[in-house]
Amino acid sequence: MVRWAVAGDLAGLVAVEVAADGLFEQVGITFPAGTTMVEEVDDPGTVLVDGFPPDGFAMIGWVDGNVHLEQLAVHPDRMRRGIGGRLVRAVLDHALAVGAPAVTLTTFRDVPWNAPWYERHGFEVLGEREWGPELRALVEHERELGIEVAPRVVMRR
């Protein structure tokens, strides 16, 4: 069941994110050291979770007037059970409910559970000419943080 996170959920989501990030080592991607994205969340109202305790989460924000999916993570032990799909549907439903014209995200182009997975959920690669100023700044910030360790794309639905 997808629901909005409460403050007590956030600490447990760190383990979900760390475990999910560990999967990238299988495809030769190692993230730079530092805090996880969920550790930087101040408002649990920006995080959708699935399960009690949560097995996965979706962090959202706003970029160029669109809902932006900042992070989607599912614990590897709970993958392939529809959790990611439920979370994406909840993000899309939220965007519709708040009148956002689209949902955007950035992801790895060639990792099977990244861009190809989002394409199966109706997202399309967004060409650089279509990026707004906030999205352009976000991509540049990701590069500065060292996240672009493999080819990345911006996607929109």
Side-chain angles (χ1 to χ4, degrees):
M1 173 183 132
V2 176
R3 60 184 170 82
W4 290 104
V6 296
D9 290 323
L10 296 179
L13 297 179
V14 173
V16 172
E17 185 173 355
V18 168
D21 284 353
L23 289 176
F24 287 91
E25 293 175 9
Q26 297 174 9
V27 293
I29 295 173
T30 304
F31 293 111
T35 59
T36 63
M37 289 184 71
V38 78
E39 285 177 285
E40 298 176 9
V41 170
D42 294 325
D43 178 6
T46 62
V47 181
L48 288 157
V49 296
D50 187 283
F52 294 95
D55 295 315
F57 69 90
M59 290 175 38
I60 59 171
W62 287 91
V63 174
D64 294 320
N66 295 309
V67 168
H68 185 77
L69 179 56
E70 296 176 358
Q71 174 80 318
L72 178 73
V74 175
H75 196 287
D77 293 345
R78 305 294 294 164
M79 291 177 78
R80 307 201 61 76
R81 298 178 189 199
I83 294 168
R86 284 194 300 273
L87 287 164
V88 165
R89 280 190 300 283
V91 170
L92 295 168
D93 289 347
H94 173 70
L96 187 62
V98 297
V103 173
T104 57
L105 59 89
T106 60
T107 194
F108 290 105
R109 183 189 70 199
D110 302 321
V111 176
W113 61 90
N114 277 207
W117 185 86
Y118 286 111
E119 286 174 347
R120 290 192 300 276
H121 288 272
F123 285 81
E124 297 177 342
V125 172
L126 187 63
E128 192 170 341
R129 290 187 313 271
E130 298 178 78
W131 299 358
E134 293 174 352
L135 193 52
R136 189 170 307 283
L138 176 71
V139 169
E140 184 57 38
H141 181 66
E142 287 182 353
R143 288 178 180 146
E144 290 168 1
L145 291 174
I147 294 171
E148 193 173 42
V149 293
R152 290 181 64 80
V153 292
V154 173
M155 302 185 85
R156 176 179 67 194
R157 177 173 163 178

